[in-house]
Amino acid sequence: MFYDLFIPAERGAEKTLSMLARLGYSCAAASCTVTGKIPQDVGLLAKGIDVDVAPDVRATLAATGKSFTVLKRITVELSDTKECYHLNGNTPGMKEFDIVAVNPTTEKLWAQCCEKLEIDIISLDLSKRLPFFMKPKQIGQAIDRGIYFEIAYSAAIHDTLGRRNLIANAIQLVRAAKQKHIVLSSGAARAMSVRGPYDVANLARLFGLSANMAKQAVSSNCKSVVAHGAMRRGTCKGVIGITDVSALVGTSNEWLLPQEIDDIGDAKDDDTVTVPGNDADAMVET
């Protein structure tokens, strides 16, 4: 499966998504962008992302047994530390998005994104000169937390200066990340700005990625981003997940307690219950 995890959810997004489906992609993320303070009801933005491939393309995919998934993404452009509050797992509305990406504009925000924030992707505008240096230590901290770094290529397709900056910044990023946790996306607002997955993988070779890592940047790495987003939404700080018991009924009995322990709940009239142990039975008062 090939992914493009950055398609602006703007006018013309349907044509862009349809082009991706024709080029062989299986999944894309429609993104809304927030600049400045994140609203408390940010979840409403996710409900406003209502884009899909054209009906004829969807019908063609169904006839050939193929599928195309459209995810919901939010991209937050950070310019002040006060804007980070909603990115610390404190806002339920952020769980409405399959992917949370940030674009830090200062070195302090860059460090905070790598070290603390509950996000899935760090997406810098590499077509412009960066105001800070991407330190390998900070990138390593982000990688340890499961965060991926995005290279969006469309901004450099029609701009010579942007192309020069993109290649230079991407080489620096790939070198600092040691080719790990890199994803390539288009960020394309027009259908003509997207490229096929194998063309994108070949482009990644210019950034210093090996052939294998370049292919992973449009496939398995993107799949890991989606999985990281699912963990962020379904767990507390990525550690504890809560599942309704009713959802487990009829699936498997592995989640059930051993029968000997279940017998404790059946003893209603006894004052004590025998709980089998390793060496001797223990008496538990009820």
Side-chain angles (χ1 to χ4, degrees):
M1 292 180 59
F2 294 108
Y3 298 71
D4 189 330
L5 298 182
F6 189 13
I7 299 296
E10 302 172 353
R11 185 178 180 180
E14 179 181 301
K15 293 182 179 179
T16 306
L17 293 172
S18 299
M19 177 63 74
L20 290 174
R22 294 189 183 100
L23 290 173
Y25 289 88
S26 299
C27 182
S31 175
C32 65
T33 301
V34 175
T35 303
K37 184 178 180 181
I38 301 175
Q40 189 68 31
D41 56 350
V42 64
L44 296 177
L45 296 177
K47 297 179 180 179
I49 300 177
D50 186 19
V51 294
D52 196 4
V53 299
D56 60 323
V57 176
R58 181 66 70 182
T60 301
L61 292 172
T64 56
K66 298 179 180 179
S67 63
F68 187 86
T69 304
V70 180
L71 305 175
K72 296 181 179 181
R73 161 176 163 163
I74 183 172
T75 303
V76 183
E77 295 184 1
L78 297 175
S79 57
D80 192 287
T81 55
K82 296 179 181 179
E83 302 164 2
C84 298
Y85 173 79
H86 296 287
L87 297 172
N88 285 319
N90 300 314
T91 306
M94 296 300 289
K95 295 183 181 294
E96 299 293 328
F97 295 94
D98 299 293
I99 298 173
V100 174
V102 294
N103 178 13
T105 56
T106 66
E107 185 174 5
K108 185 176 181 180
L109 287 169
W110 158 263
Q112 194 166 353
C113 291
C114 292
E115 299 169 5
K116 297 180 180 179
L117 300 187
E118 294 292 316
I119 56 178
D120 307 310
I121 291 177
I122 296 178
S123 179
L124 300 172
D125 186 358
L126 300 180
S127 64
K128 300 178 181 179
R129 185 174 181 179
L130 297 179
F132 53 85
F133 180 74
M134 295 178 286
K135 298 179 181 179
K137 181 179 179 180
Q138 294 171 331
I139 291 179
Q141 291 174 319
I143 290 175
D144 291 340
R145 298 177 58 234
I147 298 173
Y148 282 73
F149 297 89
E150 182 177 65
I151 300 175
Y153 61 83
S154 66
I157 290 181
H158 308 291
D159 181 11
T160 302
L161 178 60
R163 186 181 307 116
R164 187 183 303 119
N165 288 333
L166 174 68
I167 294 175
N169 290 328
I171 289 175
Q172 178 186 343
L173 174 61
V174 169
R175 184 182 295 118
K178 299 179 180 179
Q179 303 192 47
K180 299 177 181 178
H181 283 226
I182 301 293
V183 296
L184 269 74
S185 306
S186 65
R190 298 185 302 168
M192 296 304 295
S193 297
V194 300
R195 296 294 183 266
Y198 292 102
D199 292 334
V200 176
N202 288 333
L203 176 64
R205 298 297 304 277
L206 294 175
F207 306 148
L209 289 172
S210 64
N212 183 47
M213 299 301 290
K215 185 177 180 180
Q216 290 183 20
V218 291
S219 56
S220 59
N221 285 0
C222 300
K223 183 178 180 180
S224 297
V225 170
V226 177
H228 187 272
M231 180 179 295
R232 172 183 50 78
R233 299 194 314 274
T235 63
C236 179
K237 298 295 183 180
V239 176
I240 300 175
I242 301 175
T243 302
D244 193 337
V245 173
S246 61
L248 301 175
V249 176
T251 56
S252 173
N253 291 331
E254 294 180 357
W255 60 276
L256 294 173
L257 293 173
Q259 184 62 41
E260 293 83 1
I261 305 300
D262 287 347
D263 289 340
I264 296 176
D266 296 332
K268 299 179 180 179
D269 299 326
D270 298 338
D271 292 334
T272 60
V273 178
T274 301
V275 180
N278 292 331
D279 299 322
D281 292 346
M283 302 301 290
V284 180
E285 292 186 359
T286 59

